[in-house]
Amino acid sequence: MHFYGTQSVNGKGHLTIGGVDTVDLAQIYGTPLIVYDIALFRERARAFKETFKSAGVQAQVAYASKAFSSIAIYEVAQQEGLSLDVVSGGELYTAVAAGFPRERIHFHGNNKSFMELQYAFDEKIGCIVIDNFSEIALVKEIAESRKENMNVLIRVTPGVHASTHDFITTGQEDSKFGFDLKNGQADEAFRQLHDHPYIQLLGMHCHIGSQIFETDAFRLAAEALLDKMESWRDEYGFVCTVLNLGGGFGIRYTEEDRPLHPSAYVDEMAKVVLSMTRSANYPMPEIWIEPGRSLIGDAGTTLYTTGSMKEVPNIRTYVAVDGGMTDNIRPALYGAKYTAVTANRVNDAHEDKVTIAGKCCESGDKLIEEAYLASPSEGDILAVFCTGAYNYSMASNYNRLPKPAVVFCENGEHRLAVRRETYEDLIRLDLSLQAVERGAVN
Ligand code: LLP
């Protein structure tokens, strides 16, 4: 059994997170429940920042908040001095609602709308990461008509193929994101942006993929970007002050995963950038990174209550829980693997091999194909580890299941961070035919 962060077992044999009994949490808040170990999130944030600091490199660590976006987590990110990567008007709105310092918000996306971009200008955010030529035109139009400045980065695809799931690689050439570094598109974007009166081009951005376990791909990407930076300096006398190398650092979901310590990636980046800039006599840029999963992934645990069980003789036993693909789409979507424990009997031998199924009307709604539990019985509390990233943020209301509640635990205390959806919430946007006929709505 592998525990993460502050997880432990108390005298009752119950799993604890942040010093709080998870069985108590299940009772207080109901299940499914996503529980965050906030001390672990803070520890990860500090480790990234410290590593840059000890390498003597100016840096911004931006939380890639698509991993889990909520007002409360933005507040914690702010407390830790993180910057914020948002990818939509909705995430920006959440950041604004959390009072996040606008100058540390970076706006991503491959199809930002005119409205979203205007919103970014309204809020005077720190930086727009420009993805494509249409966006260059939109940003120029807005900046010129308002006569307002905006910092931008050019997002490029460095042509690096990192070993990860196909659906989550983004740095290769055939990608919907960014300007190609090799075929001239990045250069053209540069020409369109570098001497604009209202647009301050800070530098370049790339993100090569997600759940990456090696530093080589990051080194190659950094080298490719630095080469381009040098060529822009040589040709145009332009010096980039920011090099954003994205996120994607892998975490341990199961024992097959062997991630490096988060600082190893940052160390490697700092080393490459320091040595290349030194030898090219290029002023050291700030390095920005955007970790999502590696900041928040293993800080999250989902608690479920077990319900029906079904034995398929000689094949498998299904143990069904009160959530499923609605709160964790990753097994169905990516074949992602997870581990679980019986949170109310952690010390018992976990020797019963079962399949943990969700409650959705879909055969593929299985959370863990091969889980080992402590003689499962109805009413157990199951804890599925490492559900902090891309679980709640990708949750759906399939079968009209309400989204779970989210709780933050730290130093023996718990507080609700996101309310559980109610049935009322589920029909909040629905309109009855009568209401439309009455003209009560348009
Ligand atoms: N920066 C950019 C521009 C990104 O596109 C992403 C993730 C990140 C940073 C953060 O990557 P991370 O450090 O979290 O790996 N839904 C998928 C992951 C999609 C990642 C999308 N971009 C999953 O559940 O695995």
Side-chain angles (χ1 to χ4, degrees):
M1 204 168 297
H2 180 95
F3 290 129
Y4 296 88
T6 65
Q7 289 175 348
S8 181
V9 187
N10 66 15
K12 297 180 188 161
H14 295 175
L15 176 72
T16 63
I17 299 175
V20 183
D21 187 320
T22 55
V23 178
D24 290 347
L25 287 173
Q27 227 151 48
I28 298 166
Y29 298 103
T31 54
L33 181 70
I34 302 179
V35 181
Y36 278 102
D37 175 352
I38 292 302
L40 184 55
F41 178 83
R42 292 190 197 281
E43 187 187 314
R44 299 264 187 259
R46 287 172 198 177
F48 280 123
K49 294 187 70 181
E50 270 309 307
T51 312
F52 278 120
K53 207 167 151 203
S54 40
V57 171
Q58 289 289 327
Q60 278 195 43
V61 178
Y63 168 48
S65 67
K66 70 206 82 181
F68 171 58
S69 170
S70 79
I71 290 178
I73 200 66
Y74 288 180
E75 288 169 339
V76 179
Q78 183 180 342
Q79 288 166 0
E80 292 304 319
L82 296 172
S83 299
L84 200 63
D85 152 4
V86 299
V87 291
S88 68
E91 283 184 358
L92 178 53
Y93 184 80
T94 310
V96 169
F100 202 91
R102 311 297 194 268
E103 67 280 7
R104 295 212 311 269
I105 298 178
H106 312 157
F107 194 10
H108 269 285
N110 70 313
N111 191 24
K112 303 176 192 81
S113 70
F114 190 67
M115 254 175 65
E116 285 177 318
L117 290 167
Q118 278 189 314
Y119 186 23
F121 273 80
D122 289 346
E123 292 299 332
K124 301 192 180 355
I125 67 160
C127 171
I128 293 176
V129 183
I130 296 199
D131 191 277
N132 52 66
F133 291 112
S134 327
E135 191 180 335
I136 292 182
L138 291 178
V139 170
K140 279 186 173 176
E141 186 184 332
I142 298 171
E144 286 162 19
S145 65
R146 294 176 171 226
K147 301 192 187 340
E148 279 174 21
N149 294 330
M150 180 55 76
N151 294 329
V152 303
L153 291 177
I154 297 178
R155 177 169 182 167
V156 300
T157 43
V160 172
H161 202 301
S163 45
T164 180
H165 193 286
D166 256 4
F167 296 167
I168 45 185
T169 52
T170 45
Q172 76 279 23
E173 284 139 27
D174 182 8
S175 164
K176 71 169 181 171
F177 298 104
F179 299 95
D180 193 290
L181 206 51
K182 292 179 187 147
N183 70 7
Q185 287 177 353
D187 295 309
E188 179 52 28
F190 171 81
R191 281 190 290 272
Q192 293 188 16
L193 286 167
H194 77 102
D195 56 0
H196 191 274
Y198 295 112
I199 294 175
Q200 276 71 50
L201 176 60
L202 304 180
M204 258 193 274
H205 168 281
C206 74
H207 171 76
I208 54 175
S210 204
Q211 187 60 357
I212 297 170
F213 291 128
E214 25 127 5
T215 55
D216 275 4
F218 290 103
R219 181 176 48 76
L220 290 172
E223 285 171 0
L225 269 62
L226 286 160
D227 275 344
K228 187 54 77 184
M229 282 160 56
E230 279 177 42
S231 82
W232 290 345
R233 177 190 59 180
D234 297 345
E235 202 168 332
Y236 301 94
F238 180 88
V239 173
C240 292
T241 51
V242 171
L243 177 60
N244 186 329
L245 294 170
F249 320 128
I251 65 167
R252 181 197 187 283
Y253 285 96
T254 69
E255 61 188 14
E256 286 148 36
D257 297 330
R258 306 269 149 132
L260 303 168
H261 191 271
S263 57
Y265 302 98
V266 169
D267 252 348
E268 177 74 11
M269 287 174 179
K271 237 177 24 213
V272 178
V273 181
L274 278 166
S275 97
M276 275 189 78
T277 48
R278 235 175 247 147
S279 63
N281 201 18
Y282 197 101
M284 180 68 186
E286 271 190 31
I287 301 181
W288 294 4
I289 56 166
E290 300 165 336
R293 193 191 315 269
S294 56
L295 273 174
I296 195 120
D298 56 5
T301 303
T302 306
L303 304 179
Y304 300 99
T305 305
T306 61
S308 67
M309 285 192 256
K310 174 182 172 176
E311 197 187 333
V312 186
N314 304 320
I315 300 188
R316 69 174 80 240
T317 299
Y318 286 99
V319 174
V321 295
D322 51 359
M325 65 194 297
T326 38
D327 59 78
N328 186 359
I329 189 71
R330 299 191 72 261
L333 193 55
Y334 310 119
K337 301 227 175 347
Y338 287 87
T339 58
V341 292
T342 307
N344 51 317
R345 278 179 285 116
V346 180
N347 293 330
D348 291 7
H350 281 57
E351 286 170 350
D352 288 48
K353 186 169 135 184
V354 301
T355 292
I356 300 178
K359 65 177 274 138
C360 297
C361 293
E362 178 122 355
S363 301
D365 179 24
K366 291 180 232 165
L367 289 175
I368 306 181
E369 196 86 34
E370 259 186 33
Y372 288 86
L373 300 180
S375 47
S377 62
E378 217 173 308
D380 277 339
I381 302 300
L382 290 194
V384 175
F385 295 129
C386 260
T387 59
Y390 307 108
N391 281 226
Y392 190 87
S393 63
M394 292 175 84
S396 77
N397 290 122
Y398 181 49
N399 296 162
R400 289 245 144 157
L401 298 195
K403 288 187 190 157
V406 179
V407 162
F408 286 3
C409 291
E410 194 172 17
N411 300 325
E413 289 180 359
H414 51 94
R415 46 149 295 188
L416 194 58
V418 183
R419 275 190 311 108
R420 179 177 304 284
E421 259 183 344
T422 61
Y423 289 154
E424 248 174 10
D425 291 330
L426 289 173
I427 61 163
R428 196 167 43 94
L429 303 175
D430 287 14
L431 301 172
S432 76
L433 293 179
Q434 289 94 320
V436 177
E437 272 158 26
R438 278 202 315 271
V441 285
N442 47 35

